[in-house]
Amino acid sequence: MRFVVAALSFCFVVTPPATCFADNPIVQTNYTTDPAPMVHNGRVYVYTGHDEDTLVNNFFTMNEWRVYSTADMVNWTDHGSPLRYNNFSWAKGDAWAGQCIPRNGKFYYYVPMTQKNGGMAIGVAVSSGPTGPFTDAIGRPLVSTGTGDIDPTVFIDDDEQAYLYWGNPNLWYVKLNRDMTSYSGNPVQVSLTTAGFGTRKDTSRATSYEEGPWFYKRGGRYYMVFAANGIPELISYATSTSPTGPWTFRGVIMPTQGASFTNHAGVVDFAGNSYFVYHNGALPGGGGYHRSVSVERFTYNADGAFPTINMTSAGAPGVGNLNPYVTTEAETIAWESGVETEPCSEGGMDVTAIDNGDYIKVKGVNFGTGAVSFEARVASASSGGSIELRLDTQNGTRVGTCAVQRTGGSQTWTTTSCAVTGATGLHDLYLKFTGGSGALFNFNSWRFTPRDPLPDAGVADASDTGAMDAGVSDASSGGASSGGASGSAGTGQPPASGGTAAGSSGAPGSGGGSLGSAGRGGSASGSGPNAAPSADESGCACRSGSRRGDRELPLVTFFFASLLVGRASRRRRQERARRAHAAEVR
Ligand code: FUB
């Protein structure tokens, strides 16, 4: 169901805009990992991995990638899974960290997987849209060096040359051809020097570089953000005046925090702000194998350096407000309690597993001079229930109650409506679900009807996502080209060694209950004792674990190194989340 309503700009609104902050983690319906942000057509898309609730061999259990998007940095629309490892005929598992980039009117998604014939390799999938579905573009791995081919990052330079970097323990790159599905020459192994990639806290490798590179350009300077220091990881960065180095180590961005032994970062500029997207174990039931994506807003220093960025539960401030008078997908969520999402027969996703007392919170909703009615697209195979419309808290002022009747099927959709009184100005909106026992109904989309005609400014297509009333500017993925980064030359590096790297790419370790994490370490054939930089572990009431092993050791070695991750069901996890947020007055 789609509505196109004119006027996203509420200049008649008397309520001054208030700053609302995102709730971190930004997704509560799934454990999400390895975020890769991408800006496209006024929205930020975040491509993620998905840690399954139930672990296999107490290790990363990841079968698919997922994508979420936002126009305001606080309300995130769930687009489901655009790609799975088994969409690649040559892969047998491990849908680890990827990155998507638009080019030539298409979207290219670079993702690592374990091959059926062993070892990890990077594939490329293509789609005509940012939310997929994606298909294997070439029917075979794009790159496969045999040494930890994980965590691809892709960037297209101003001269239109595209680069793909990746790897753990080595850092590799290729120059992609314009088709984005092939490359010229052989993979080049970056020479990892302490001048370029910092000194490791231990001597297991030559530098602090571990994995998860994120490559982009800002203000004429190239940035390589990466997970560093072994287990538990922190996020550091290097810069260069050239896309292929040499690199100069610039320090730590995000200290070791957040109850996950890995971290993995992406950086994006959007609507004039810079955002740092990462993962931790902050969701209830979270840990090293049950991670969740969070976002922080930050400002580069005048010289282009990163500030220290700490993990928060508040997250990034909102950008503009949400317009309730255009259709919003029900799966556009700032925070929820108890619900899940699923593919919808009407397209996109719907909200399901709705029980009595569950809710969805949408932040920064601008009702202007007021709403007179509300309508929702719903389906119910049971006896239905109600949607209570409450302002600012889950038990806040009720401005309407919409009855949902049985429709005869969980995907048999109808529109229900109800009167609304007292919804004016700017509020967080709670869609609170009530009814009998068991699953009540499914929920596809909603919108309010305004009391007054909307001004004729700013026509917008609500399409199938949340809609904003504030203009947002597009920016290229990665760092924006604006800003005051003054380039500085990197230090020289020795010629690339042809090094062998007894590579690692495996991680024992685990969460433990809701906070635990354990470790993973590298075992590359690096050399040289390295002083350990001391990580600032302030800012998060979480603990991090110790280094335990190496990803490419046999899985059996992971067992002794792993703590049990609570296999909390999604319901239990969400119930804990509900309790954690019960006291909120947002
Ligand atoms: O999610 C699996 C792996 O853990 C990723 O590839 C790494 O970056 C680390 O986050």
Side-chain angles (χ1 to χ4, degrees), residues 161 263 387:
Q161 176 63 59
N263 195 352
I387 305 172

Side-chain angles (χ1 to χ4, degrees), residues 33-34 60 62 96-97 150-151 211-212 262-264 279 291 551:
T33 74
D34 304 316
F60 295 117
M62 306 174 71
W96 286 12
I150 67 170
D151 295 0
E211 61 184 359
T262 64
N263 195 352
H264 189 115
H279 73 217
R291 299 161 290 175
R551 271 189 198 145

Side-chain angles (χ1 to χ4, degrees), residues 86-98:
N86 54 14
N87 294 137
F88 297 84
S89 62
W90 48 269
K92 66 178 181 182
D94 303 319
W96 286 12

Side-chain angles (χ1 to χ4, degrees), residues 459-528:
V459 176
D461 183 348
S463 72
D464 58 355
T465 56
M468 300 297 301
D469 68 353
V472 288
S473 61
D474 206 340
S476 59
S477 105
S481 56
S482 64
S486 58
S488 64
T491 58
Q493 290 179 283
S497 69
T500 56
S504 78
S505 70
S510 70
S514 64
L515 286 179
S517 67
R520 173 190 49 177
S523 67
S525 57
S527 62

Side-chain angles (χ1 to χ4, degrees), residues 165 173 190 222 239-247 490-491 493:
Y165 274 89
Y173 75 84
V190 175
Y222 297 89
T239 62
S240 177
T241 54
S242 158
T244 56
W247 296 93
T491 58
Q493 290 179 283

Side-chain angles (χ1 to χ4, degrees), residues 89-158:
S89 62
W90 48 269
K92 66 178 181 182
D94 303 319
W96 286 12
Q99 186 181 347
C100 183
I101 195 168
R103 189 171 203 178
N104 310 327
K106 294 184 177 173
F107 295 80
Y108 296 90
Y109 198 0
Y110 299 86
V111 286
M113 292 150 283
T114 296
Q115 302 174 87
K116 285 179 176 170
N117 62 4
M120 293 199 76
I122 293 167
V124 56
V126 64
S127 174
S128 58
T131 59
F134 287 82
T135 55
D136 186 353
I138 56 178
R140 55 182 164 73
L142 175 66
V143 289
S144 176
T145 68
T147 59
D149 297 311
I150 67 170
D151 295 0
T153 179
V154 60
F155 171 71
I156 303 172
D157 207 348
D158 300 334

Side-chain angles (χ1 to χ4, degrees), residues 31 33 49-64 85 93-96 288-291 567:
Y31 291 116
T33 74
H50 175 198
D51 280 342
E52 298 288 344
D53 284 4
T54 302
L55 299 182
V56 176
N57 293 329
N58 200 27
F59 190 58
F60 295 117
T61 304
M62 306 174 71
N63 301 321
E64 65 178 12
Y85 79 82
D94 303 319
W96 286 12
Y289 298 135
H290 288 122
R291 299 161 290 175
R567 294 188 180 184

